[in-house]
């Protein structure tokens, strides 16, 4: 099988790494890729938002499967263009991807499907914003209706900060605050059959102790030793299957990766948000534990034959990933700094720890930073404590001027 992955972040590096280990994958391509992905796949320049360019590249390469990683190409309809060219594609249609592209659309689908979520108001005027903020009170949860690369949400006790964020959005969703720990649960679906993966937890705030601004994610771990063993079954029954069934009923079937961001509240599981693609950095840890070859699973989803898929096999190991970010992230990051220590990690820490590249580019022999989140240092171990120890040992070998990372990823869950 020849596979083309679209994207160039650590999520796509994790996908490419798993696909490169699949014996059925005879050729692996990625566009546009990054410096790390280039070590496991052949990379190609492409405008990943241009469906015609992506489908032309897939045809030229003779791809048997295209996997669209990021949300923006999905919302732009890239998966539709690839399918229109007669090539199987893992990723939802433009219409179905509105589940992530519009918070208001997602709330409407959840209402139709009877999925438990936070009460909310969709606001477009200053008057509606003030009414909604007054109705819910602090802490205020304000979400840009559209795509914002994981940075469109403000949770604050400060009503003026909440109002300022709301006024900066064209359309905004203001909702009740959900207490309790958060869980990410991915499911692969062909629009009918739903196949859940293992739950993970990510860390959104920039600084230790969940302080600082929201980011795209600073680390993640799996499994969740504190979670109810029945959690996946419950979420399947109350969230994932009803949502897939509702989208099919509406004539916009969702085939691809359905990501449920959940809050485990005192009143039960509630959906915080849906995403239409693998999450970053949770993908890095979930795929680290998946033992079933990945390509066949994704192809079944793309072809509508997921019911034929054998049950997934998972490692008993734990996995932890720590994001190394640029100076000033999540503000305007500093880029172009050399990254050192990558060869040391490969020599000293493999196979239990490895580096997945996010914002990197190659400059001759050097690898330079090229984005806000630069690397996802991922490690496995017999338990979370060992996986954490290995991940942070590898992080300690990496040298990137001005870089930052959290030191408490999975600390609490590991019992430390």
């Amino acid at each position: 099988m020849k596979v083309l992955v679209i994207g160039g972040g650590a999520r796509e590096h994790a996908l490419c790494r798993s696909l490169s280990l699949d014996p059925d994958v005879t050729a692996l391509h990625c566009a546009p890729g990054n410096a790390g992905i280039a070590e496991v796949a052949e990379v190609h320049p492409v405008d990943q938002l241009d469906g015609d360019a992506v489908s032309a590249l897939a045809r030229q390469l003779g791809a048997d499967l295209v996997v669209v990683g990021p949300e923006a190409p999905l919302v732009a309809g890239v998966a539709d263009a690839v399918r229109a060219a007669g090539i199987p594609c893992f990723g939802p249609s433009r219409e179905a991807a509105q589940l992530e592209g519009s918070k208001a659309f997602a709330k409407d689908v959840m209402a139709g499907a009877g999925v438990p979520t936070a009460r909310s108001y969709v606001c477009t005027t200053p008057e509606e914003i003030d009414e909604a903020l007054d109705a819910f009170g602090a802490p205020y949860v304000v979400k840009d209706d559209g795509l914002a690369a994981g940075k469109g949400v403000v949770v604050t006790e400060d009503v003026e900060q909440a109002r300022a964020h709301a006024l900066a959005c064209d359309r905004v969703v203001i909702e009740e605050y959900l207490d309790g720990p958060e869980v990410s649960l991915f499911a692969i679906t062909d629009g009918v059959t739903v196949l859940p993966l293992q739950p993970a937890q990510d860390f959104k705030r920039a600084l230790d102790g969940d302080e600082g601004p929201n980011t795209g994610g600073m680390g993640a771990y799996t499994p969740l030793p504190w979670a109810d063993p029945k959690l996946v079954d419950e979420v399947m029954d109350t969230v994932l299957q009803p949502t897939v069934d509702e989208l099919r009923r509406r004539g916009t079937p969702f085939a691809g990766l359905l990501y449920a961001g959940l809050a485990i509240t005192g009143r039960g599981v509630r959906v915080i948000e849906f995403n239409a693609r693998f999450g970053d950095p949770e993908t890095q840890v979930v795929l680290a534990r998946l033992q079933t070859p990945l390509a066949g699973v994704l192809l079944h989803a793309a072809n509508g034959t997921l019911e034929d898929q054998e049950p997934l096999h998972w490692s008993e190991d734990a996995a932890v990933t720590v994001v190394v970010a640029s100076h000033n992230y999540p503000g305007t990051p500093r880029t172009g700094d050399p990254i050192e220590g990558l060869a040391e990690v490969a020599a000293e820490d493999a196979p239990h720890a490895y580096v997945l590249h996010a914002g990197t580019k190659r400059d001759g022999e050097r690898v330079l930073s090229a984005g806000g989140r630069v690397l996802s240092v991922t490690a496995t171990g017999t338990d979370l404590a060992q996986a954490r120890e290995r991940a942070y040992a590898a992080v300690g070998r990496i040298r990137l001027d001005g870089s930052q990372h959290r030191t408490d990823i999975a600390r609490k869950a590991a019992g430390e």
Side-chain angles (χ1 to χ4, degrees), residues 206-228:
L207 306 176
D208 283 7
D210 292 326
E211 299 288 331
N214 251 350
T215 71
M218 294 298 291
Y221 70 92
T222 181
L224 312 182
W226 49 267
D228 186 328

Side-chain angles (χ1 to χ4, degrees), residues 8 37 84 134 148 156 186 203 211 224 238 253 258 292 352-353 367:
I37 292 172
D134 289 344
T156 179
F186 302 162
F203 295 76
E211 299 288 331
L224 312 182
T238 63
L258 178 59
T292 302
H352 301 298
V367 175

Side-chain angles (χ1 to χ4, degrees), residues 32-356:
N34 62 37
I37 292 172
E39 295 175 10
V40 294
E42 187 178 340
V43 297
H44 307 267
V46 78
D47 177 355
Q48 57 184 350
L49 300 181
D50 184 338
D52 291 340
V54 171
S55 52
L57 176 62
R59 271 200 308 268
Q60 177 192 327
L61 296 173
D64 302 300
L65 174 67
V66 175
V67 179
V68 182
E71 60 274 23
L74 293 168
V75 172
V78 166
D80 306 77
V82 173
R83 278 191 282 271
I87 300 166
C89 184
F90 182 81
S93 66
R94 181 203 304 260
E95 284 188 71
Q98 284 304 305
L99 201 61
E100 177 168 3
S102 167
K103 305 285 190 299
F105 175 78
K107 288 288 187 184
D108 189 56
V109 170
M110 283 188 266
V115 168
T117 186
R119 292 180 301 121
S120 63
Y121 295 104
V122 180
C123 307
T124 54
T125 68
E127 294 75 23
E128 290 172 347
I129 288 166
D130 287 340
E131 281 180 33
L133 293 172
D134 289 344
F136 288 130
Y140 303 98
V141 181
V142 184
K143 299 180 174 181
D144 190 333
D145 180 55
L147 288 183
K151 303 187 198 98
V153 180
V154 165
V155 181
T156 179
E157 298 279 345
D158 183 341
V159 69
E160 290 307 321
Q161 185 186 358
R163 181 179 288 115
H165 182 63
L167 290 170
C169 305
D170 289 335
R171 186 158 81 147
V172 68
V173 175
I174 296 174
E175 62 183 38
E176 69 175 325
Y177 176 75
L178 297 175
D179 62 333
E182 295 184 13
V183 173
S184 302
L185 184 60
F186 302 162
I188 290 170
T189 178
D190 59 4
V192 178
T193 302
V194 181
L195 188 66
L197 305 185
Q198 291 287 309
Q201 186 174 55
D202 75 333
F203 295 76
K204 286 278 191 281
R205 299 282 186 173
L207 306 176
D208 283 7
D210 292 326
E211 299 288 331
N214 251 350
T215 71
M218 294 298 291
Y221 70 92
T222 181
L224 312 182
W226 49 267
D228 186 328
K230 301 191 199 74
L231 176 66
V232 173
D233 291 340
E234 181 188 345
V235 175
M236 271 290 291
D237 292 344
T238 63
V239 175
L240 297 169
Q241 192 70 56
T243 299
V244 169
D245 292 345
E246 173 67 12
L247 284 163
R248 189 174 68 253
R249 187 187 69 75
R250 290 173 177 230
T252 55
F254 186 105
L257 195 290
L258 178 59
Y259 166 142
L262 309 164
I264 314 300
T265 76
R267 295 162 303 161
V269 173
R270 297 286 184 273
V271 175
I272 301 169
E273 65 175 355
F274 282 124
N275 290 332
R277 39 73 195 179
F278 281 101
D280 184 344
E282 300 97 320
T283 302
Q284 289 86 301
V285 290
V286 171
L287 291 185
R289 295 182 57 222
L290 179 64
Q291 292 180 322
T292 302
L294 183 61
V297 185
L298 303 185
L299 188 61
H300 273 310
N303 285 338
T305 55
L306 200 56
E307 64 182 353
D308 299 334
Q309 174 63 43
E310 298 285 321
L312 299 178
H313 294 287
W314 297 92
S315 164
E316 293 294 317
D317 282 353
V320 171
T321 195
V322 179
V323 170
V324 176
S326 292
H327 175 73
N328 199 42
Y329 178 78
T332 304
R334 193 174 85 202
T335 59
D337 289 310
I339 304 164
E340 297 176 338
L342 297 172
E344 291 168 44
V345 175
E348 302 289 337
D349 302 293
H352 301 298
Y354 48 88
V355 178
L356 297 169

